[in-house]
Amino acid sequence: MQESRIRTDLIHPLAAPFRLAGTNGEAYVLIHGFTGNPAHFRHLGDELASRGYTVNAPLLAGHARGMADLAASRQDDWIEGTIDAIREVGDHRRIHLVGLSMGGLLAVIAANRCPIATLSTINSPIVFRDWRMRFSRIAHRLRPEFLWPPEPPPPLDAEVAPFWIHANGFPTIAAAELYRVSRRALRTAPHIEVPSLVIQSRADQTTHPKSGPILRKALGEKSRLLWLEHSMHNALFDTERHIIRDAVLEVSRP
Protein backbone atom coordinates (compact mmCIF):
# COMPACT_ATOMS: atom_id res chain seq x y z
CA MET A 1 0.00 0.00 0.00
CA GLN A 2 1.07 3.64 -0.46
CA GLU A 3 2.92 4.87 2.60
CA SER A 4 0.98 7.24 4.84
CA ARG A 5 3.92 9.47 5.67
CA ILE A 6 6.99 10.75 3.86
CA ARG A 7 10.20 8.97 4.74
CA THR A 8 13.35 11.00 5.08
CA ASP A 9 15.66 8.85 2.95
CA LEU A 10 14.55 10.06 -0.47
CA ILE A 11 17.22 10.43 -3.14
CA HIS A 12 16.28 14.13 -3.37
CA PRO A 13 13.81 16.38 -1.50
CA LEU A 14 11.99 17.21 -4.74
CA ALA A 15 11.22 13.52 -5.22
CA ALA A 16 8.67 13.70 -2.41
CA PRO A 17 4.92 13.61 -3.14
CA PHE A 18 3.28 17.02 -3.41
CA ARG A 19 -0.18 18.52 -3.37
CA LEU A 20 -1.22 21.96 -4.60
CA ALA A 21 -4.57 23.44 -3.55
CA GLY A 22 -6.93 24.63 -6.26
CA THR A 23 -9.97 26.86 -6.47
CA ASN A 24 -12.22 25.46 -9.22
CA GLY A 25 -13.42 22.25 -7.55
CA GLU A 26 -11.56 19.96 -9.94
CA ALA A 27 -8.39 17.95 -9.37
CA TYR A 28 -5.59 16.38 -11.34
CA VAL A 29 -3.84 13.27 -10.06
CA LEU A 30 -0.40 12.99 -11.65
CA ILE A 31 1.20 9.53 -11.62
CA HIS A 32 4.93 9.30 -12.28
CA GLY A 33 6.64 6.56 -14.23
CA PHE A 34 8.73 3.51 -13.45
CA THR A 35 11.93 4.51 -11.58
CA GLY A 36 10.64 8.11 -11.64
CA ASN A 37 9.16 10.28 -8.93
CA PRO A 38 6.80 13.26 -8.48
CA ALA A 39 9.55 15.76 -9.36
CA HIS A 40 8.93 14.91 -13.02
CA PHE A 41 5.47 16.47 -12.70
CA ARG A 42 6.50 19.58 -10.75
CA HIS A 43 6.45 21.88 -13.77
CA LEU A 44 3.17 20.61 -15.20
CA GLY A 45 1.66 20.55 -11.71
CA ASP A 46 2.48 24.21 -11.17
CA GLU A 47 0.90 25.11 -14.50
CA LEU A 48 -2.29 23.20 -13.73
CA ALA A 49 -2.50 24.74 -10.24
CA SER A 50 -2.10 28.21 -11.73
CA ARG A 51 -5.31 27.52 -13.67
CA GLY A 52 -7.26 26.70 -10.53
CA TYR A 53 -6.93 22.93 -10.34
CA THR A 54 -5.97 21.00 -7.24
CA VAL A 55 -2.95 18.83 -8.02
CA ASN A 56 -2.04 15.61 -6.22
CA ALA A 57 1.19 13.83 -7.19
CA PRO A 58 1.88 10.70 -5.11
CA LEU A 59 5.14 8.83 -4.72
CA LEU A 60 4.70 5.20 -5.74
CA ALA A 61 5.91 2.45 -3.43
CA GLY A 62 9.58 1.51 -3.82
CA HIS A 63 10.51 4.63 -5.78
CA ALA A 64 12.93 7.51 -5.11
CA ARG A 65 14.99 5.59 -2.58
CA GLY A 66 17.10 2.66 -3.70
CA MET A 67 17.25 -0.62 -5.58
CA ALA A 68 16.25 -2.70 -2.54
CA ASP A 69 13.04 -0.72 -2.07
CA LEU A 70 12.19 -0.96 -5.77
CA ALA A 71 12.90 -4.71 -5.85
CA ALA A 72 10.58 -5.24 -2.88
CA SER A 73 7.61 -3.37 -4.42
CA ARG A 74 4.96 -5.01 -6.57
CA GLN A 75 2.33 -3.96 -9.10
CA ASP A 76 -0.47 -4.09 -6.52
CA ASP A 77 1.47 -1.62 -4.35
CA TRP A 78 1.68 0.80 -7.27
CA ILE A 79 -1.98 0.36 -8.20
CA GLU A 80 -3.18 0.86 -4.63
CA GLY A 81 -0.97 3.93 -4.33
CA THR A 82 -2.63 5.39 -7.40
CA ILE A 83 -6.10 4.65 -6.06
CA ASP A 84 -5.19 6.16 -2.68
CA ALA A 85 -4.11 9.37 -4.44
CA ILE A 86 -7.47 9.53 -6.25
CA ARG A 87 -9.35 9.02 -3.01
CA GLU A 88 -7.38 11.84 -1.37
CA VAL A 89 -9.08 14.30 -3.75
CA GLY A 90 -12.41 12.48 -3.72
CA ASP A 91 -14.21 15.57 -2.43
CA HIS A 92 -13.65 17.33 -5.79
CA ARG A 93 -16.50 17.35 -8.31
CA ARG A 94 -14.30 16.12 -11.17
CA ILE A 95 -11.00 14.22 -11.08
CA HIS A 96 -8.60 13.92 -14.00
CA LEU A 97 -5.82 11.32 -14.22
CA VAL A 98 -2.53 11.94 -16.01
CA GLY A 99 0.14 9.24 -16.05
CA LEU A 100 3.64 9.21 -17.49
CA SER A 101 4.89 5.88 -18.86
CA MET A 102 4.02 3.23 -16.25
CA GLY A 103 1.99 5.92 -14.49
CA GLY A 104 -0.34 5.96 -17.49
CA LEU A 105 -0.80 2.20 -17.25
CA LEU A 106 -1.60 2.52 -13.55
CA ALA A 107 -4.06 5.30 -14.39
CA VAL A 108 -5.86 3.01 -16.86
CA ILE A 109 -6.18 0.29 -14.22
CA ALA A 110 -7.30 2.75 -11.52
CA ALA A 111 -9.83 4.37 -13.87
CA ASN A 112 -11.72 1.09 -13.91
CA ARG A 113 -12.04 1.17 -10.12
CA CYS A 114 -12.55 4.87 -9.32
CA PRO A 115 -15.00 7.57 -10.46
CA ILE A 116 -12.91 9.85 -12.66
CA ALA A 117 -13.77 12.37 -15.36
CA THR A 118 -10.89 12.01 -17.83
CA LEU A 119 -7.74 9.99 -18.44
CA SER A 120 -4.49 10.99 -20.15
CA THR A 121 -1.46 8.77 -20.74
CA ILE A 122 2.00 9.85 -21.88
CA ASN A 123 4.26 7.31 -23.61
CA SER A 124 2.80 4.35 -21.75
CA PRO A 125 4.47 1.09 -22.81
CA ILE A 126 2.30 -1.56 -24.36
CA VAL A 127 5.20 -2.59 -26.59
CA PHE A 128 8.73 -2.10 -25.24
CA ARG A 129 11.73 -1.16 -27.32
CA ASP A 130 13.90 -3.53 -25.29
CA TRP A 131 12.97 -7.06 -26.33
CA ARG A 132 14.31 -8.41 -23.02
CA MET A 133 11.29 -7.01 -21.18
CA ARG A 134 9.18 -9.90 -22.48
CA PHE A 135 11.47 -12.38 -20.73
CA SER A 136 11.91 -10.44 -17.47
CA ARG A 137 9.34 -12.61 -15.69
CA ILE A 138 11.68 -15.57 -16.15
CA ALA A 139 15.00 -13.71 -16.11
CA HIS A 140 14.52 -12.30 -12.62
CA ARG A 141 14.60 -15.87 -11.26
CA LEU A 142 17.86 -16.58 -13.08
CA ARG A 143 19.61 -13.26 -12.57
CA PRO A 144 17.92 -11.44 -9.68
CA GLU A 145 20.98 -9.24 -9.16
CA PHE A 146 21.02 -7.94 -12.74
CA LEU A 147 20.70 -4.16 -12.82
CA TRP A 148 19.16 -2.65 -15.94
CA PRO A 149 20.63 0.67 -17.09
CA PRO A 150 18.83 3.96 -16.38
CA GLU A 151 16.91 5.98 -18.94
CA PRO A 152 19.18 8.55 -20.63
CA PRO A 153 18.22 12.14 -19.86
CA PRO A 154 16.63 14.26 -22.60
CA PRO A 155 18.12 17.66 -23.43
CA LEU A 156 17.28 19.83 -20.44
CA ASP A 157 16.63 23.56 -20.33
CA ALA A 158 16.78 25.71 -17.22
CA GLU A 159 13.02 25.64 -16.66
CA VAL A 160 12.87 21.91 -15.96
CA ALA A 161 16.47 20.81 -15.36
CA PRO A 162 16.19 20.88 -11.53
CA PHE A 163 13.42 18.28 -11.71
CA TRP A 164 15.39 15.59 -13.58
CA ILE A 165 15.83 13.23 -10.64
CA HIS A 166 16.02 9.59 -11.60
CA ALA A 167 17.07 6.17 -10.34
CA ASN A 168 20.38 4.68 -11.45
CA GLY A 169 18.74 1.71 -13.13
CA PHE A 170 16.38 -0.97 -11.90
CA PRO A 171 16.48 -4.66 -10.90
CA THR A 172 15.13 -7.45 -13.09
CA ILE A 173 12.31 -8.32 -10.69
CA ALA A 174 10.99 -4.75 -10.95
CA ALA A 175 11.13 -4.99 -14.74
CA ALA A 176 9.00 -8.12 -14.50
CA GLU A 177 6.40 -6.24 -12.46
CA LEU A 178 6.36 -3.42 -15.01
CA TYR A 179 5.72 -5.91 -17.81
CA ARG A 180 2.83 -7.40 -15.84
CA VAL A 181 1.34 -3.93 -15.37
CA SER A 182 1.45 -3.33 -19.13
CA ARG A 183 -0.49 -6.54 -19.81
CA ARG A 184 -3.00 -5.75 -17.08
CA ALA A 185 -3.60 -2.23 -18.39
CA LEU A 186 -4.18 -3.50 -21.92
CA ARG A 187 -6.80 -5.95 -20.65
CA THR A 188 -8.47 -3.21 -18.60
CA ALA A 189 -8.51 -0.47 -21.26
CA PRO A 190 -11.65 -1.67 -23.12
CA HIS A 191 -13.66 -1.21 -19.92
CA ILE A 192 -12.83 2.52 -19.59
CA GLU A 193 -15.71 4.75 -20.61
CA VAL A 194 -14.42 8.27 -19.90
CA PRO A 195 -12.84 10.65 -22.43
CA SER A 196 -9.22 9.58 -22.82
CA LEU A 197 -6.12 11.04 -24.41
CA VAL A 198 -3.16 8.90 -25.48
CA ILE A 199 0.01 10.93 -26.03
CA GLN A 200 2.86 9.18 -27.84
CA SER A 201 6.33 10.37 -28.89
CA ARG A 202 7.48 9.18 -32.27
CA ALA A 203 11.12 9.33 -31.11
CA ASP A 204 10.50 7.44 -27.87
CA GLN A 205 13.51 5.22 -27.16
CA THR A 206 11.87 3.24 -24.35
CA THR A 207 8.24 2.74 -25.36
CA HIS A 208 7.79 1.55 -28.93
CA PRO A 209 5.70 4.22 -30.74
CA LYS A 210 3.15 1.63 -31.88
CA SER A 211 2.09 1.45 -28.23
CA GLY A 212 0.11 4.65 -28.72
CA PRO A 213 -2.24 3.38 -31.45
CA ILE A 214 -2.66 0.04 -29.67
CA LEU A 215 -3.67 1.69 -26.40
CA ARG A 216 -5.95 4.20 -28.12
CA LYS A 217 -7.75 1.40 -29.96
CA ALA A 218 -8.16 -0.54 -26.71
CA LEU A 219 -9.62 2.51 -24.96
CA GLY A 220 -12.28 2.81 -27.62
CA GLU A 221 -14.20 5.56 -29.37
CA LYS A 222 -14.02 8.06 -26.49
CA SER A 223 -10.23 8.21 -26.82
CA ARG A 224 -7.94 10.05 -29.18
CA LEU A 225 -4.25 9.83 -30.06
CA LEU A 226 -1.85 12.77 -30.02
CA TRP A 227 1.57 12.34 -31.60
CA LEU A 228 4.60 14.26 -30.34
CA GLU A 229 7.00 14.73 -33.22
CA HIS A 230 10.21 15.69 -31.41
CA SER A 231 10.01 14.41 -27.83
CA MET A 232 11.73 11.43 -26.25
CA HIS A 233 10.31 9.11 -23.57
CA ASN A 234 9.98 11.54 -20.68
CA ALA A 235 8.27 14.18 -22.77
CA LEU A 236 7.57 16.32 -19.69
CA PHE A 237 11.17 17.52 -20.05
CA ASP A 238 11.18 18.10 -23.79
CA THR A 239 10.35 21.13 -25.89
CA GLU A 240 6.81 19.87 -26.61
CA ARG A 241 5.77 19.88 -22.94
CA HIS A 242 3.50 22.86 -23.65
CA ILE A 243 1.60 20.64 -26.10
CA ILE A 244 1.07 18.11 -23.33
CA ARG A 245 -0.19 20.84 -20.99
CA ASP A 246 -2.66 22.19 -23.52
CA ALA A 247 -3.86 18.72 -24.49
CA VAL A 248 -4.58 17.51 -20.95
CA LEU A 249 -6.39 20.76 -20.24
CA GLU A 250 -8.45 20.39 -23.39
CA VAL A 251 -9.57 16.83 -22.60
CA SER A 252 -10.62 17.94 -19.10
CA ARG A 253 -13.14 20.46 -20.41
CA PRO A 254 -16.76 19.21 -20.11
Side-chain angles (χ1 to χ4, degrees), residues 201-243:
S201 299
R202 294 190 190 274
D204 195 325
Q205 295 179 323
T206 301
T207 295
H208 196 290
K210 64 184 179 183
S211 295
I214 293 172
L215 182 56
R216 192 224 62 79
K217 183 177 180 180
L219 285 167
E221 60 184 22
K222 288 189 176 181
S223 66
R224 72 181 184 94
L225 174 64
L226 172 64
W227 288 104
L228 299 178
E229 301 297 335
H230 308 293
S231 298
M232 297 177 67
H233 182 62
N234 196 330
L236 296 170
F237 286 83
D238 267 307
T239 56
E240 293 174 301
R241 58 184 178 269
H242 66 286
I243 296 177

CSV table of all heavy atoms in Angstrom, one decimal, residues 201-243:
chain,number,residue,atom,x,y,z
A,201,SER,N,5.2,9.8,-28.2
A,201,SER,CA,6.3,10.4,-28.9
A,201,SER,C,6.8,9.4,-30.0
A,201,SER,O,7.0,8.3,-29.8
A,201,SER,CB,7.5,10.6,-27.9
A,201,SER,OG,7.1,11.5,-26.9
A,202,ARG,N,7.0,10.0,-31.2
A,202,ARG,CA,7.5,9.2,-32.3
A,202,ARG,C,8.9,8.8,-32.0
A,202,ARG,O,9.4,7.7,-32.5
A,202,ARG,CB,7.4,9.9,-33.6
A,202,ARG,CG,5.9,10.2,-34.0
A,202,ARG,CD,5.9,10.7,-35.5
A,202,ARG,NE,4.6,11.2,-35.8
A,202,ARG,CZ,3.6,10.5,-36.3
A,202,ARG,NH1,3.8,9.2,-36.5
A,202,ARG,NH2,2.4,11.0,-36.6
A,203,ALA,N,9.7,9.6,-31.3
A,203,ALA,CA,11.1,9.3,-31.1
A,203,ALA,C,11.4,8.6,-29.8
A,203,ALA,O,12.5,8.6,-29.4
A,203,ALA,CB,11.9,10.6,-31.2
A,204,ASP,N,10.4,8.1,-29.2
A,204,ASP,CA,10.5,7.4,-27.9
A,204,ASP,C,11.5,6.3,-28.0
A,204,ASP,O,11.3,5.4,-28.8
A,204,ASP,CB,9.1,6.9,-27.4
A,204,ASP,CG,9.1,6.5,-26.0
A,204,ASP,OD1,10.1,6.0,-25.4
A,204,ASP,OD2,8.0,6.7,-25.3
A,205,GLN,N,12.5,6.3,-27.1
A,205,GLN,CA,13.5,5.2,-27.2
A,205,GLN,C,13.2,4.1,-26.2
A,205,GLN,O,14.0,3.1,-26.1
A,205,GLN,CB,14.9,5.8,-26.9
A,205,GLN,CG,15.3,6.8,-28.0
A,205,GLN,CD,16.7,7.4,-27.7
A,205,GLN,OE1,17.0,7.7,-26.6
A,205,GLN,NE2,17.5,7.5,-28.7
A,206,THR,N,12.2,4.2,-25.4
A,206,THR,CA,11.9,3.2,-24.3
A,206,THR,C,10.6,2.5,-24.7
A,206,THR,O,10.5,1.3,-24.8
A,206,THR,CB,11.7,3.9,-23.0
A,206,THR,OG1,13.0,4.5,-22.6
A,206,THR,CG2,11.4,2.9,-21.9
A,207,THR,N,9.5,3.3,-24.9
A,207,THR,CA,8.2,2.7,-25.4
A,207,THR,C,8.2,2.7,-26.9
A,207,THR,O,8.4,3.8,-27.5
A,207,THR,CB,7.1,3.6,-24.8
A,207,THR,OG1,7.1,3.5,-23.4
A,207,THR,CG2,5.8,3.2,-25.4
A,208,HIS,N,7.9,1.6,-27.5
A,208,HIS,CA,7.8,1.6,-28.9
A,208,HIS,C,6.6,2.4,-29.3
A,208,HIS,O,5.5,2.3,-28.8
A,208,HIS,CB,7.6,0.1,-29.4
A,208,HIS,CG,7.8,0.0,-30.9
A,208,HIS,ND1,7.0,0.5,-31.9
A,208,HIS,CD2,8.8,-0.6,-31.6
A,208,HIS,CE1,7.5,0.2,-33.1
A,208,HIS,NE2,8.6,-0.5,-32.9
A,209,PRO,N,6.8,3.3,-30.4
A,209,PRO,CA,5.7,4.2,-30.7
A,209,PRO,C,4.4,3.5,-31.1
A,209,PRO,O,3.3,4.2,-31.0
A,209,PRO,CB,6.3,5.0,-31.9
A,209,PRO,CG,7.8,4.9,-31.7
A,209,PRO,CD,8.0,3.6,-31.1
A,210,LYS,N,4.4,2.3,-31.5
A,210,LYS,CA,3.2,1.6,-31.9
A,210,LYS,C,2.3,1.4,-30.6
A,210,LYS,O,1.1,1.0,-30.8
A,210,LYS,CB,3.4,0.4,-32.7
A,210,LYS,CG,4.1,-0.7,-32.0
A,210,LYS,CD,4.3,-1.9,-33.0
A,210,LYS,CE,5.1,-3.1,-32.4
A,210,LYS,NZ,5.4,-4.1,-33.4
A,211,SER,N,2.9,1.6,-29.5
A,211,SER,CA,2.1,1.4,-28.2
A,211,SER,C,0.9,2.4,-28.2
A,211,SER,O,-0.2,2.1,-27.7
A,211,SER,CB,3.0,1.7,-27.0
A,211,SER,OG,4.0,0.7,-26.9
A,212,GLY,N,1.2,3.6,-28.7
A,212,GLY,CA,0.1,4.7,-28.7
A,212,GLY,C,-1.1,4.2,-29.4
A,212,GLY,O,-2.2,4.2,-28.9
A,213,PRO,N,-1.0,3.8,-30.7
A,213,PRO,CA,-2.2,3.4,-31.5
A,213,PRO,C,-2.9,2.1,-30.8
A,213,PRO,O,-4.1,2.0,-30.8
A,213,PRO,CB,-1.7,3.1,-32.9
A,213,PRO,CG,-0.5,4.0,-33.0
A,213,PRO,CD,0.1,4.0,-31.6
A,214,ILE,N,-2.1,1.2,-30.3
A,214,ILE,CA,-2.7,0.0,-29.7
A,214,ILE,C,-3.5,0.4,-28.4
A,214,ILE,O,-4.6,-0.1,-28.3
A,214,ILE,CB,-1.5,-1.0,-29.3
A,214,ILE,CG1,-0.9,-1.5,-30.5
A,214,ILE,CG2,-2.1,-2.1,-28.4
A,214,ILE,CD1,0.4,-2.4,-30.2
A,215,LEU,N,-2.9,1.3,-27.6
A,215,LEU,CA,-3.7,1.7,-26.4
A,215,LEU,C,-4.9,2.5,-26.8
A,215,LEU,O,-6.0,2.3,-26.2
A,215,LEU,CB,-2.7,2.5,-25.5
A,215,LEU,CG,-3.3,2.9,-24.1
A,215,LEU,CD1,-3.9,1.7,-23.4
A,215,LEU,CD2,-2.3,3.7,-23.3
A,216,ARG,N,-4.8,3.4,-27.7
A,216,ARG,CA,-6.0,4.2,-28.1
A,216,ARG,C,-7.1,3.3,-28.6
A,216,ARG,O,-8.2,3.5,-28.3
A,216,ARG,CB,-5.6,5.2,-29.2
A,216,ARG,CG,-6.7,6.3,-29.4
A,216,ARG,CD,-6.9,6.5,-30.9
A,216,ARG,NE,-7.4,5.4,-31.6
A,216,ARG,CZ,-8.6,4.9,-31.6
A,216,ARG,NH1,-9.6,5.5,-30.9
A,216,ARG,NH2,-8.9,3.8,-32.3
A,217,LYS,N,-6.7,2.3,-29.4
A,217,LYS,CA,-7.7,1.4,-30.0
A,217,LYS,C,-8.4,0.6,-28.8
A,217,LYS,O,-9.6,0.4,-28.8
A,217,LYS,CB,-7.1,0.4,-31.0
A,217,LYS,CG,-8.1,-0.5,-31.6
A,217,LYS,CD,-7.5,-1.4,-32.6
A,217,LYS,CE,-8.5,-2.4,-33.3
A,217,LYS,NZ,-7.8,-3.3,-34.3
A,218,ALA,N,-7.6,0.2,-27.8
A,218,ALA,CA,-8.2,-0.5,-26.7
A,218,ALA,C,-9.1,0.3,-25.9
A,218,ALA,O,-10.1,-0.2,-25.3
A,218,ALA,CB,-7.0,-1.1,-25.9
A,219,LEU,N,-8.8,1.6,-25.8
A,219,LEU,CA,-9.6,2.5,-25.0
A,219,LEU,C,-10.9,2.9,-25.6
A,219,LEU,O,-11.9,3.3,-25.0
A,219,LEU,CB,-8.8,3.8,-24.6
A,219,LEU,CG,-7.8,3.7,-23.6
A,219,LEU,CD1,-6.8,4.9,-23.6
A,219,LEU,CD2,-8.4,3.4,-22.2
A,220,GLY,N,-11.0,2.7,-26.9
A,220,GLY,CA,-12.3,2.8,-27.6
A,220,GLY,C,-12.6,4.2,-28.2
A,220,GLY,O,-11.7,5.1,-28.3
A,221,GLU,N,-13.8,4.4,-28.6
A,221,GLU,CA,-14.2,5.6,-29.4
A,221,GLU,C,-14.2,6.9,-28.6
A,221,GLU,O,-14.2,7.9,-29.2
A,221,GLU,CB,-15.6,5.4,-29.9
A,221,GLU,CG,-16.7,5.1,-28.9
A,221,GLU,CD,-18.0,4.8,-29.5
A,221,GLU,OE1,-18.1,4.4,-30.7
A,221,GLU,OE2,-19.1,5.1,-28.9
A,222,LYS,N,-14.1,6.8,-27.3
A,222,LYS,CA,-14.0,8.1,-26.5
A,222,LYS,C,-12.6,8.5,-26.3
A,222,LYS,O,-12.3,9.5,-25.6
A,222,LYS,CB,-14.7,7.9,-25.1
A,222,LYS,CG,-16.2,7.8,-25.2
A,222,LYS,CD,-16.8,7.9,-23.8
A,222,LYS,CE,-18.3,7.9,-23.8
A,222,LYS,NZ,-18.9,8.0,-22.5
A,223,SER,N,-11.6,7.8,-26.9
A,223,SER,CA,-10.2,8.2,-26.8
A,223,SER,C,-9.7,8.8,-28.1
A,223,SER,O,-10.3,8.6,-29.2
A,223,SER,CB,-9.4,7.0,-26.5
A,223,SER,OG,-9.4,6.0,-27.5
A,224,ARG,N,-8.6,9.5,-28.0
A,224,ARG,CA,-7.9,10.1,-29.2
A,224,ARG,C,-6.4,10.0,-29.0
A,224,ARG,O,-6.0,9.9,-27.8
A,224,ARG,CB,-8.4,11.5,-29.5
A,224,ARG,CG,-7.8,12.6,-28.6
A,224,ARG,CD,-8.3,13.9,-29.0
A,224,ARG,NE,-7.8,15.0,-28.2
A,224,ARG,CZ,-6.7,15.7,-28.5
A,224,ARG,NH1,-6.0,15.4,-29.6
A,224,ARG,NH2,-6.3,16.7,-27.7
A,225,LEU,N,-5.7,10.0,-30.1
A,225,LEU,CA,-4.3,9.8,-30.1
A,225,LEU,C,-3.6,11.1,-30.5
A,225,LEU,O,-4.0,11.7,-31.5
A,225,LEU,CB,-3.8,8.7,-31.0
A,225,LEU,CG,-2.3,8.5,-31.2
A,225,LEU,CD1,-1.6,8.1,-29.9
A,225,LEU,CD2,-2.1,7.4,-32.3
A,226,LEU,N,-2.6,11.6,-29.7
A,226,LEU,CA,-1.9,12.8,-30.0
A,226,LEU,C,-0.4,12.4,-30.2
A,226,LEU,O,0.2,11.9,-29.2
A,226,LEU,CB,-2.0,13.8,-28.9
A,226,LEU,CG,-1.1,15.1,-29.0
A,226,LEU,CD1,-1.4,15.9,-30.2
A,226,LEU,CD2,-1.2,15.9,-27.7
A,227,TRP,N,0.2,12.6,-31.4
A,227,TRP,CA,1.6,12.3,-31.6
A,227,TRP,C,2.4,13.5,-31.2
A,227,TRP,O,2.1,14.7,-31.5
A,227,TRP,CB,1.8,12.0,-33.1
A,227,TRP,CG,1.3,10.7,-33.5
A,227,TRP,CD1,0.2,10.5,-34.3
A,227,TRP,CD2,1.9,9.4,-33.3
A,227,TRP,NE1,0.0,9.1,-34.5
A,227,TRP,CE2,1.1,8.4,-33.9
A,227,TRP,CE3,3.0,9.0,-32.6
A,227,TRP,CZ2,1.3,7.1,-33.8
A,227,TRP,CZ3,3.3,7.6,-32.5
A,227,TRP,CH2,2.5,6.7,-33.1
A,228,LEU,N,3.6,13.3,-30.6
A,228,LEU,CA,4.6,14.3,-30.3
A,228,LEU,C,5.7,14.0,-31.3
A,228,LEU,O,6.2,12.9,-31.4
A,228,LEU,CB,5.1,14.2,-28.9
A,228,LEU,CG,4.1,14.5,-27.8
A,228,LEU,CD1,4.8,14.3,-26.4
A,228,LEU,CD2,3.5,15.9,-27.9
A,229,GLU,N,6.1,15.0,-32.1
A,229,GLU,CA,7.0,14.7,-33.2
A,229,GLU,C,8.5,14.8,-32.8
A,229,GLU,O,9.3,14.2,-33.5
A,229,GLU,CB,6.7,15.8,-34.3
A,229,GLU,CG,5.3,15.7,-34.9
A,229,GLU,CD,5.0,14.4,-35.6
A,229,GLU,OE1,5.9,13.7,-36.0
A,229,GLU,OE2,3.8,14.0,-35.6
A,230,HIS,N,8.8,15.4,-31.7
A,230,HIS,CA,10.2,15.7,-31.4
A,230,HIS,C,10.6,15.3,-30.0
A,230,HIS,O,11.8,15.4,-29.6
A,230,HIS,CB,10.5,17.2,-31.6
A,230,HIS,CG,10.1,17.7,-32.9
A,230,HIS,ND1,10.7,17.3,-34.1
A,230,HIS,CD2,9.1,18.6,-33.3
A,230,HIS,CE1,10.1,18.0,-35.1
A,230,HIS,NE2,9.2,18.7,-34.6
A,231,SER,N,9.7,14.7,-29.2
A,231,SER,CA,10.0,14.4,-27.8
A,231,SER,C,10.5,13.0,-27.7
A,231,SER,O,10.2,12.1,-28.4
A,231,SER,CB,8.8,14.6,-27.0
A,231,SER,OG,8.4,15.9,-27.0
A,232,MET,N,11.3,12.8,-26.6
A,232,MET,CA,11.7,11.4,-26.2
A,232,MET,C,10.8,10.8,-25.2
A,232,MET,O,9.6,11.3,-25.1
A,232,MET,CB,13.2,11.5,-25.8
A,232,MET,CG,14.1,12.0,-26.9
A,232,MET,SD,15.9,12.1,-26.3
A,232,MET,CE,16.3,10.4,-26.0
A,233,HIS,N,11.2,9.8,-24.4
A,233,HIS,CA,10.3,9.1,-23.6
A,233,HIS,C,9.7,10.0,-22.5
A,233,HIS,O,8.5,10.1,-22.4
A,233,HIS,CB,11.0,7.9,-22.9
A,233,HIS,CG,10.1,7.1,-22.1
A,233,HIS,ND1,9.0,6.4,-22.6
A,233,HIS,CD2,10.1,6.8,-20.7
A,233,HIS,CE1,8.4,5.8,-21.6
A,233,HIS,NE2,9.0,6.0,-20.5
A,234,ASN,N,10.5,10.6,-21.7
A,234,ASN,CA,10.0,11.5,-20.7
A,234,ASN,C,9.7,12.9,-21.3
A,234,ASN,O,10.5,13.8,-21.2
A,234,ASN,CB,10.9,11.7,-19.5
A,234,ASN,CG,10.2,12.2,-18.3
A,234,ASN,OD1,9.3,13.0,-18.4
A,234,ASN,ND2,10.6,11.9,-17.1
A,235,ALA,N,8.6,13.0,-22.0
A,235,ALA,CA,8.3,14.2,-22.8
A,235,ALA,C,8.0,15.4,-21.9
A,235,ALA,O,7.9,16.5,-22.4
A,235,ALA,CB,7.1,13.9,-23.7
A,236,LEU,N,7.8,15.2,-20.6
A,236,LEU,CA,7.6,16.3,-19.7
A,236,LEU,C,8.8,17.2,-19.6
A,236,LEU,O,8.7,18.4,-19.1
A,236,LEU,CB,7.2,15.8,-18.3
A,236,LEU,CG,5.9,15.0,-18.2
A,236,LEU,CD1,5.8,14.3,-16.8
A,236,LEU,CD2,4.7,15.9,-18.4
A,237,PHE,N,9.9,16.7,-20.1
A,237,PHE,CA,11.2,17.5,-20.0
A,237,PHE,C,11.6,18.0,-21.4
A,237,PHE,O,12.6,18.7,-21.5
A,237,PHE,CB,12.3,16.7,-19.5
A,237,PHE,CG,12.2,16.5,-18.0
A,237,PHE,CD1,11.4,15.5,-17.5
A,237,PHE,CD2,12.9,17.3,-17.1
A,237,PHE,CE1,11.3,15.3,-16.1
A,237,PHE,CE2,12.8,17.1,-15.7
A,237,PHE,CZ,12.0,16.1,-15.2
A,238,ASP,N,10.8,17.7,-22.4
A,238,ASP,CA,11.2,18.1,-23.8
A,238,ASP,C,10.5,19.4,-24.2
A,238,ASP,O,9.6,19.9,-23.5
A,238,ASP,CB,10.9,17.0,-24.8
A,238,ASP,CG,12.1,16.0,-25.0
A,238,ASP,OD1,13.1,16.6,-25.3
A,238,ASP,OD2,11.9,14.8,-24.8
A,239,THR,N,10.8,19.8,-25.4
A,239,THR,CA,10.3,21.1,-25.9
A,239,THR,C,8.9,21.1,-26.2
A,239,THR,O,8.3,22.2,-26.3
A,239,THR,CB,11.1,21.5,-27.2
A,239,THR,OG1,11.0,20.5,-28.1
A,239,THR,CG2,12.6,21.7,-26.8
A,240,GLU,N,8.2,20.0,-26.3
A,240,GLU,CA,6.8,19.9,-26.6
A,240,GLU,C,6.0,19.7,-25.4
A,240,GLU,O,4.8,19.4,-25.4
A,240,GLU,CB,6.5,18.7,-27.6
A,240,GLU,CG,7.1,18.9,-28.9
A,240,GLU,CD,7.0,17.7,-29.8
A,240,GLU,OE1,7.5,16.6,-29.4
A,240,GLU,OE2,6.4,17.8,-30.9
A,241,ARG,N,6.5,20.0,-24.2
A,241,ARG,CA,5.8,19.9,-22.9
A,241,ARG,C,4.6,20.8,-22.9
A,241,ARG,O,3.6,20.5,-22.2
A,241,ARG,CB,6.7,20.1,-21.7
A,241,ARG,CG,7.4,21.4,-21.6
A,241,ARG,CD,8.3,21.4,-20.4
A,241,ARG,NE,9.1,22.7,-20.3
A,241,ARG,CZ,10.3,22.9,-20.9
A,241,ARG,NH1,10.8,21.9,-21.6
A,241,ARG,NH2,10.9,24.0,-20.8
A,242,HIS,N,4.6,22.0,-23.6
A,242,HIS,CA,3.5,22.9,-23.6
A,242,HIS,C,2.3,22.2,-24.4
A,242,HIS,O,1.2,22.5,-24.1
A,242,HIS,CB,3.9,24.2,-24.3
A,242,HIS,CG,4.3,24.1,-25.7
A,242,HIS,ND1,5.5,23.6,-26.2
A,242,HIS,CD2,3.6,24.4,-26.9
A,242,HIS,CE1,5.5,23.6,-27.5
A,242,HIS,NE2,4.4,24.1,-27.9
A,243,ILE,N,2.6,21.4,-25.4
A,243,ILE,CA,1.6,20.6,-26.1
A,243,ILE,C,0.9,19.7,-25.2
A,243,ILE,O,-0.3,19.5,-25.2
A,243,ILE,CB,2.2,19.9,-27.3
A,243,ILE,CG1,2.8,20.9,-28.3
A,243,ILE,CG2,1.2,19.0,-28.0
A,243,ILE,CD1,3.5,20.3,-29.5
